[in-house]
Amino acid sequence: MKKLLYVLLSAILVSSVIVVYAPEAAPTPGAPYYQGKRIKIVVASSPGGGTDMCARVAAKFFSKYIPGNPQMVIYNQPGAGGQIAHKIFYNKTKPDGLTLLQGSTSAVRLQMKKGPEAIEYDLTKYKFIGNIVREQSVLLIKKGQKARLTDPSAKPIQVGTKAGEEVWLAMILWGKEFLGWNVEVVPGYGGSSELEMAFRRPGEVEMYASSNAYILNRMLEDGVAEIVCSIGKRSDFPGNPTFEEMLGDKKPTGIPWRAWKSWNGADLVDKFLAAPPGTPDDRVAILREAFTKMSQRPEFDELMKQRVSKSYAVHIGQETDDIMKGVLIVSQAVLDYIKELQRKAGIIAK
Amino acid sequence: MWEASLSGLESILRPDMFCIIFIGVILGTICSLLPGVGSTAMLTMAIPFAVVLGPYGAIALMMSINAVSSSGGTITAVLTGIPGHSSGIATIIEGYPMTKRGMGARAIGAGLTASMVGGLIGAVALTASLPIFRPLVEALGAPEYFMFTMWGISMIVMLSGKAPLKGALAAVLGIYIMMVGLDTKSGAERWVFGEPYLWDGIEIILPALGIFAVPEAINFAVKGGSIAEQRLSYGAGLLDGIKDVFRNWFLVIRASLVGIWVGFIPGLGGPIASWVALGDARASSRGKGDWDRGEVRGVIAPEATNNATEGSTMIPTLCFGIPGSTSAALCIIAFLAVGILPGPEMLRGQLHFTFAIIWTLVIAQLIAGLLCLSLVRPISQVAFLPHHSVVPLIIVLVFLGAFSSNYRLADILLLLIFSTVGFFMRRFNWPRAPLLLGAVLAPIMEKYLWLSHAHYGATWLVRPWVIVIFCLIVFTAGLIPLWELRQKKKGVVREKDEVLKSQT
């Protein structure tokens, strides 16, 4: 009995080793590059979040439109706001088109904040396959408190945030600077759930933003909030101004506006899929074409609306590349200006 | 309300739904048996299946996995001293010493039964209090949350035995350990030494495994023999354990109410509630019992609380549609996909879904409890196996638990560091539980202290609920030394020093 058990265990061990280390079958001459291969999508966050869901929805359909129909494998590599996954992806991944990365805005914000040398990756050198942009953020204020926003003699409106890094916070910083908003930023909340709870309680958060239509509708229906403005136009909340419209003739020009564009641009990147630098152009082209075809399919649209967001936009390859460069390739003066606004709001130490 | 309750029960008791619940319970229990493998991964994998099962199917699958996420952890915590999750750490304090005394089966029997009863009480109380929770949740703010963490931290008095100074220092060390990482409010790096791996801070499972499980395994390997120092027959005491729960019915009700009361606060409930329940059990014992040597009431209280908490963590979800935990967030994703809208509507037009959720919690916890109870006799043999068979198993489970939290090799290195710290703490008789208590509560404590100050300045100190909770802290933490002093005067307290020496 004992011998049988040993034999069985050895067999399992040996077969596992064979399965893991077996060389891939040699490609048939003339066969598509991806035939019989496996594409690994590294997700720079934990399972279950928006980034992970985007990768999983893409993995379900992507392979169908790549000649050779490779297998798709999802690998979650969370940690340090995605930096661990990006660092390994940028520096150590073989650029053979078989490993892709699903990243998010947090990586963009991190590069803006620390610079490519400190974080050891550079998003401007990635080969982008495409990106998915969910709805734009809508700024909410507690019902009946709008008047305090422009009344300097009133108690400042308390704005709740996580670490003062959210894209929507630009509305607060530029609003304080150019519209004279009477606001005080309180960072330290753990996530959107905590923020919403704090918003509903008396005496805590009085202003925060969300892009989630489900949360926004719930808050409005409950009668606890009213809309101030949104970053961009939202078809599901018509009649509400964008922040740019609110600025009117107070809209700044030059460096302050370039800084606004750079900060907000991160929201236009949202969830991106990329190949590592150095990936051959022909393989990138195959992947971009497959991403385009996939994004036009109704079943992809249905699943995206079900799992990720009720409304979203898709950008392909070069478009993503242009958006990313527009956000990240900015002058030092722009970066300094952003830091100055953050300092004024007390988000970073003076 | 009754109609909705019956409608919910009827839908969940259909054979197909019952099968789904059973599958969910099996999957959830397997996750809970393995340290560090939480229900999050299982719930993520279940979403694609849940969305095709319809509303009741989604509720049955997601809620059954969620409901039993701590049930199996009782077995590993009591038998091997390995905590499955942060809420289960309190169970080890009295549960593992019981196993050492050959009463592992009794401890597990008591723990699992208390879990089931706690879960039932939790569900009933949840049903009864649904209308009042919404204003209650809205009434409590950051200052009250901070005071809840202080209530938990006051349990150091109880966990330090006769070495309060060492206990306090250990708690401070625990707090410092959890300061590692990026500061959540400013993004500033704290004790990360330029290493991105440390940006996210340290997973609580690493100190929990390193400080408790590894030193025990080393000691066990050196000492030889079996975990149970007293030889009893396999599974002996299982029925006694079940009876213990009913003998201490008032404690079970109290602990369950603590679970509901503290558990509904998002991200705060479970870990604090189990420590508070343990402290309350000890305070109410008036210094009597085998505390520190393996007291069954010390197992019953945290276990009853743990499962009662499972229900109350759904309160923010049911009342506001706000997920109270990652697991609840995953449940919401699945619910939204099948047309259930978590939020106020759950207490109005969708009340039948709310009751389906509550009934699923009850049924899943009953099935999980009975399933685990049926396994107690064979599993409790572990306590009587020779060290050379058990130590490798414990070590494999510990390392698997550490690695599976994030799949990073650096976690193993940290585990080794914490194991070394734990080994020396045990060697030099430092109480280890306060370190973990400090570590569990530190991030929450820091966050709510900061938010209290940022929003209210010093005025938060005079808020009515803050004063009420402060009185509770003084009452709970002050009573324990007072009772023990009185019992000592009466000559009832036994020589605990030697016992503590061998256990800590």
Side-chain angles (χ1 to χ4, degrees):
Chain A
M1 186 67 188
K2 227 176 185 178
K3 269 186 185 172
L4 188 71
L5 195 70
Y6 279 124
V7 170
L8 205 69
L9 282 174
S10 314
I12 292 170
L13 194 69
V14 169
S15 49
S16 314
V17 171
I18 291 170
V19 168
V20 173
Y21 291 101
E24 284 180 8
T28 320
Y33 170 72
Y34 283 104
Q35 190 170 308
K37 292 199 169 70
R38 188 188 298 143
I39 294 179
K40 181 164 93 171
I41 301 181
V42 178
V43 180
S45 68
S46 315
T51 312
D52 179 66
M53 283 295 170
C54 277
R56 284 176 199 276
V57 173
K60 197 171 163 65
F61 301 102
F62 202 28
S63 167
K64 277 187 198 168
Y65 305 101
I66 301 173
N69 308 113
Q71 276 184 14
M72 306 296 291
V73 183
I74 298 278
Y75 174 68
N76 292 84
Q77 196 167 36
Q83 203 224 348
I84 291 171
H86 280 276
K87 197 172 145 183
I88 295 170
F89 181 74
Y90 183 76
N91 296 298
K92 301 204 170 148
T93 303
K94 201 172 158 189
D96 53 6
L98 295 177
T99 307
L100 307 176
L101 182 130
Q102 179 76 56
S104 70
T105 308
S106 59
V108 185
R109 299 284 310 133
L110 203 61
Q111 182 163 336
M112 283 175 77
K113 190 178 169 189
K114 294 185 171 256
E117 292 80 21
I119 54 172
E120 296 177 59
Y121 67 83
D122 186 353
L123 288 168
T124 59
K125 298 199 170 125
Y126 282 20
K127 302 261 186 164
F128 291 100
I129 310 303
N131 69 313
I132 289 162
V133 190
R134 296 168 299 170
E135 298 111 327
Q136 302 264 293
S137 297
V138 175
L139 190 58
L140 297 172
I141 190 166
K142 259 201 175 142
K143 192 128 190 169
Q145 302 299 322
K146 236 178 188 173
R148 272 172 58 205
L149 202 55
T150 45
D151 179 3
S153 61
K155 188 186 168 223
I157 297 279
Q158 309 264 296
V159 183
T161 103
K162 286 189 264 183
E165 288 293 321
E166 295 94 325
V167 173
W168 62 261
L169 210 59
M171 290 188 276
I172 302 296
L173 301 187
W174 269 258
K176 190 177 165 72
E177 186 71 10
F178 295 99
L179 295 172
W181 281 0
N182 180 25
V183 287
E184 191 175 278
V185 180
V186 180
Y189 285 93
S192 52
S193 304
E194 277 184 29
L195 273 169
E196 190 184 331
M197 288 289 280
F199 187 85
R200 286 171 179 275
R201 286 193 295 261
E204 281 193 34
V205 172
E206 295 168 297
M207 204 174 184
Y208 91 110
S210 174
S211 60
N212 190 320
Y214 166 65
I215 293 176
L216 294 168
N217 281 320
R218 198 171 56 200
M219 301 280 261
L220 296 172
E221 278 164 20
D222 282 359
V224 291
E226 53 188 313
I227 293 175
V228 179
C229 60
S230 56
I231 290 186
K233 270 283 173 211
R234 292 266 307 230
S235 56
D236 46 352
F237 295 100
N240 291 298
T242 62
F243 182 73
E244 203 174 331
E245 285 166 356
M246 277 196 89
L247 281 169
D249 55 1
K250 289 180 182 162
K251 182 180 157 183
T253 51
I255 286 173
W257 196 243
R258 279 210 294 279
W260 161 267
K261 286 276 182 200
S262 171
W263 184 307
N264 280 337
D267 227 10
L268 296 174
V269 176
D270 206 3
K271 311 291 178 197
F272 59 85
L273 187 66
T279 306
D281 287 342
D282 57 333
R283 288 175 208 171
V284 173
I286 292 171
L287 294 170
R288 282 179 177 179
E289 199 185 328
F291 196 83
T292 312
K293 284 179 182 166
M294 173 186 80
S295 65
Q296 289 161 352
R297 301 301 306 162
E299 56 267 33
F300 171 81
D301 179 60
E302 193 185 329
L303 204 61
M304 278 298 291
K305 284 180 175 161
Q306 201 180 67
R307 304 258 178 97
V308 181
S309 175
K310 275 185 182 169
S311 81
Y312 65 92
V314 177
H315 300 289
I316 311 290
Q318 195 55 49
E319 279 180 295
T320 312
D321 203 46
D322 293 341
I323 296 169
M324 193 67 88
K325 283 180 178 145
V327 173
L328 289 170
I329 303 176
V330 288
S331 67
Q332 191 55 43
V334 167
L335 294 175
D336 289 344
Y337 185 81
I338 291 174
K339 274 189 187 154
E340 185 52 33
L341 286 191
Q342 286 179 303
R343 268 191 211 102
K344 279 186 184 172
I347 299 169
I348 53 175
K350 285 184 180 156
Chain B
M1 191 156 166
W2 286 109
E3 270 177 34
S5 173
L6 282 174
S7 158
L9 180 64
E10 204 180 328
S11 315
I12 286 301
L13 281 181
R14 273 168 24 204
D16 53 340
M17 292 301 138
F18 201 79
C19 285
I20 294 171
I21 293 177
F22 195 76
I23 292 167
V25 166
I26 302 276
L27 296 174
T29 309
I30 291 170
C31 284
S32 67
L33 277 168
L34 299 170
V37 183
S39 55
T40 311
M42 190 59 81
L43 285 168
T44 309
M45 286 187 276
I47 290 175
F49 299 98
V51 296
V52 295
L53 292 172
Y56 288 110
I59 288 174
L61 184 63
M62 301 301 283
M63 292 314 299
S64 56
I65 295 175
N66 198 20
V68 301
S69 58
S70 63
S71 299
T74 312
I75 297 175
T76 45
V78 169
L79 277 185
T80 60
I82 301 174
H85 47 85
S86 57
S87 307
I89 298 170
T91 308
I92 297 176
I93 306 297
E94 297 297 331
Y96 188 58
M98 280 187 79
T99 303
K100 281 172 140 184
R101 289 168 60 199
M103 297 193 293
R106 183 179 169 186
I108 297 173
L112 290 172
T113 313
S115 283
M116 277 195 288
V117 179
L120 288 173
I121 295 172
V124 171
L126 175 63
T127 310
S129 49
L130 272 177
I132 61 157
F133 264 117
R134 198 180 157 98
L136 189 67
V137 170
E138 285 175 340
L140 302 180
E144 287 78 19
Y145 291 3
F146 171 69
M147 289 309 288
F148 278 127
T149 65
M150 292 310 290
W151 196 5
I153 213 97
S154 69
M155 294 304 131
I156 289 170
V157 175
M158 175 200 74
L159 297 167
S160 302
K162 287 198 165 182
L165 186 65
K166 283 181 178 176
L169 286 173
V172 169
L173 180 62
I175 291 169
Y176 266 96
I177 287 170
M178 297 317 276
M179 280 189 178
V180 172
L182 297 185
D183 175 22
T184 49
K185 53 192 181 294
S186 65
E189 294 179 5
R190 295 196 305 202
W191 309 98
V192 298
F193 310 105
E195 184 51 63
Y197 160 73
L198 292 171
W199 282 10
D200 288 339
I202 292 169
E203 288 279 340
I204 186 65
I205 192 75
L206 300 176
L209 292 169
I211 299 288
F212 266 108
V214 175
E216 289 302 329
I218 294 171
N219 178 57
F220 183 27
V222 172
K223 191 188 69 178
S226 60
I227 295 176
E229 287 155 1
Q230 291 168 28
R231 187 81 199 174
L232 297 172
S233 61
Y234 296 148
L238 176 63
L239 277 175
D240 288 335
I242 297 171
K243 283 179 196 165
D244 281 332
V245 174
F246 296 101
R247 272 187 217 118
N248 294 288
W249 60 272
F250 188 54
L251 174 67
V252 177
I253 292 175
R254 253 190 358 252
S256 307
L257 292 178
V258 167
I260 299 159
W261 172 237
V262 186
F264 70 83
I265 301 169
L268 181 74
I272 293 179
S274 54
W275 290 106
V276 169
L278 182 61
D280 168 63
R282 188 161 177 166
S284 62
S285 70
R286 303 184 175 195
K288 292 171 193 163
D290 281 328
W291 295 98
D292 299 325
R293 288 174 11 100
E295 167 60 43
V296 75
R297 280 173 289 177
V299 177
I300 292 171
E303 284 301 313
T305 306
N306 275 348
N307 267 23
T309 308
E310 296 297 341
S312 59
T313 50
M314 291 307 291
I315 288 168
T317 312
L318 296 178
C319 295
F320 302 100
I322 301 171
S325 60
T326 314
S327 319
L330 293 168
C331 292
I332 287 183
I333 292 174
F335 292 169
L336 285 173
V338 292
I340 303 172
L341 294 171
E345 197 50 28
M346 294 291 282
L347 306 179
R348 298 193 291 255
Q350 295 195 335
L351 197 59
H352 52 291
F353 287 140
T354 304
F355 279 105
I357 288 173
I358 294 171
W359 284 118
T360 307
L361 281 172
V362 172
I363 294 167
Q365 284 174 351
L366 277 175
I367 297 174
L370 293 173
L371 193 75
C372 292
L373 275 174
S374 68
L375 295 172
V376 170
R377 282 180 193 278
I379 288 180
S380 62
Q381 290 181 27
V382 170
F384 301 97
L385 288 175
H387 66 285
H388 52 78
S389 304
V390 181
V391 172
L393 180 75
I394 293 177
I395 295 294
V396 166
L397 274 177
V398 164
F399 277 76
L400 187 74
F403 186 66
S404 58
S405 56
N406 274 316
Y407 310 108
R408 291 186 297 206
L409 278 175
D411 285 346
I412 301 293
L413 181 69
L414 267 186
L415 172 70
L416 293 174
I417 293 170
F418 287 124
S419 303
T420 312
V421 173
F423 174 79
F424 282 108
M425 285 182 81
R426 191 185 195 288
R427 175 82 181 74
F428 295 106
N429 302 322
W430 278 62
R432 288 171 289 165
L435 188 148
L436 280 185
L437 186 59
V440 167
L441 298 181
I444 324 170
M445 203 167 68
E446 186 195 351
K447 175 166 70 186
Y448 288 118
L449 177 61
W450 153 254
L451 290 176
S452 303
H453 175 74
H455 286 298
Y456 303 98
T459 58
W460 69 268
L461 287 163
V462 290
R463 281 165 67 99
W465 278 107
V466 168
I467 296 168
V468 170
I469 303 168
F470 178 75
C471 293
L472 278 172
I473 293 170
V474 173
F475 181 73
T476 319
L479 266 187
I480 300 166
L482 202 73
W483 283 123
E484 292 198 344
L485 201 71
R486 272 186 64 178
Q487 293 298 320
K488 204 175 200 175
K489 278 183 186 165
K490 287 180 188 171
V492 176
V493 174
R494 274 166 288 177
E495 283 300 320
K496 283 185 181 171
D497 283 351
E498 283 176 30
V499 179
L500 272 175
K501 217 173 205 177
S502 66
Q503 284 176 2
T504 57

